[in-house]
Amino acid sequence: MHTKVETEHPETVVGREENEYGHLPLAQEEEIRAREEELERISAKAAFGQQDGREERTREVVVEQRRVRRVERVDPRSELEQAEVAEVNTQAMRITESVRGGPSRAAVSRGLAEKIEKGKSMIDATLEQMDEVKAEAGTIVDIADVPEVETGEVDVEGEIIELWEPSTPSIQQVGLIADDTEKIKFTVWKNSYQTKVSEGETVRLRNVKKNWHNECCNLAVTGWSRIEFPKRGQWWNR
């Protein structure tokens, strides 16, 4: 009779004698299991905490791999017809030969091909690519093109053909620089601390700011600019 009462007790279940908790009431068994599950969660959390550095490094690796894949995208030239590639390379050569100090022919060719692939005509793509090359830092721009270049700073090279007396003490030098295409006024501000130039000297003005006065474009040499002397084989950046 005693065995029958225990088996039929509302807090026992038939067959529970086969597991380690079969001799306990159901409520007590559930409480024990809950505590064990909580301990397992705490243990797992601690284990993952020890791996935080590894997980962080793994995430960094994945991010870098994604970045590399974006950079190493398919060369757009491979998507063009052979005749189109030939024309792209021809136009790229013309562009690079028309500027100095700009991007490589391969980079220009790739940029052209990307524009063609996106549906632009060869003429439109070439004109757009030329504008981008001229606006790129380091490209020496023809003085005639300075007003049209879509950037606030340019690099030019030419001969100092005239210097005149500054109108204010804040100006170190003012004059005209010219190349084979045009001439333009330039101003060297005194607080830029630049080396002085002389008439008849060939200079390269880097990172000079474009200014407009009475609808005329001129150049300002600031502290962020650089004056190079190609024929001297040296430059000053002060």
Side-chain angles (χ1 to χ4, degrees), residues 100 140 155-158 177 202-206 208 226-230:
R100 291 170 291 169
I140 298 174
D155 296 358
V156 299
E157 181 178 322
I177 181 173
T202 297
V203 300
R204 188 177 297 146
L205 305 180
R206 296 284 194 184
V208 287
R226 188 169 75 231
I227 299 179
E228 299 177 355
F229 300 85

Side-chain angles (χ1 to χ4, degrees), residues 39-189:
L39 287 173
E40 287 178 359
R41 285 195 294 271
I42 294 173
S43 177
K45 185 176 181 181
F48 279 121
Q50 295 173 356
Q51 297 179 5
D52 281 348
R54 184 191 305 173
E55 292 174 347
E56 181 64 26
R57 290 191 295 273
T58 300
R59 285 194 293 269
E60 291 175 355
V61 170
V62 171
V63 170
E64 176 63 16
Q65 289 174 340
R66 290 175 179 172
R67 186 191 68 80
V68 171
R69 283 197 294 271
R70 288 196 297 269
V71 172
E72 296 178 349
R73 61 186 185 279
V74 177
D75 190 326
R77 289 170 293 191
S78 65
E79 305 297 321
L80 303 181
E81 299 293 335
Q82 186 174 353
E84 289 178 314
V85 173
E87 181 63 18
V88 161
N89 290 333
T90 297
Q91 296 302 328
M93 181 176 64
R94 291 175 178 172
I95 291 174
T96 53
E97 288 180 349
S98 68
V99 298
R100 291 170 291 169
S104 67
R105 186 180 301 177
V108 174
S109 175
R110 185 183 182 113
L112 270 173
E114 190 170 326
K115 292 175 177 59
I116 298 296
E117 185 188 4
K118 290 180 179 179
K120 291 185 179 292
S121 68
M122 185 64 68
I123 293 177
D124 289 343
T126 301
L127 292 174
E128 186 175 319
Q129 188 67 31
M130 174 64 86
D131 289 341
E132 291 179 6
V133 169
K134 288 180 179 179
E136 187 166 327
T139 299
I140 298 174
V141 179
D142 287 341
I143 292 178
D145 293 335
V146 168
E148 307 301 327
V149 175
E150 295 183 358
T151 181
E153 296 180 344
V154 294
D155 296 358
V156 299
E157 181 178 322
E159 180 184 346
I160 304 301
I161 61 173
E162 187 177 357
L163 292 171
W164 54 80
E165 195 68 24
S167 59
T168 68
S170 60
I171 296 178
Q172 176 176 297
Q173 286 186 295
V174 58
L176 296 174
I177 181 173
D179 61 10
D180 294 335
T181 67
E182 187 56 273
K183 61 185 177 182
I184 193 169
K185 177 186 174 183
F186 71 94
T187 300
V188 182
W189 294 100

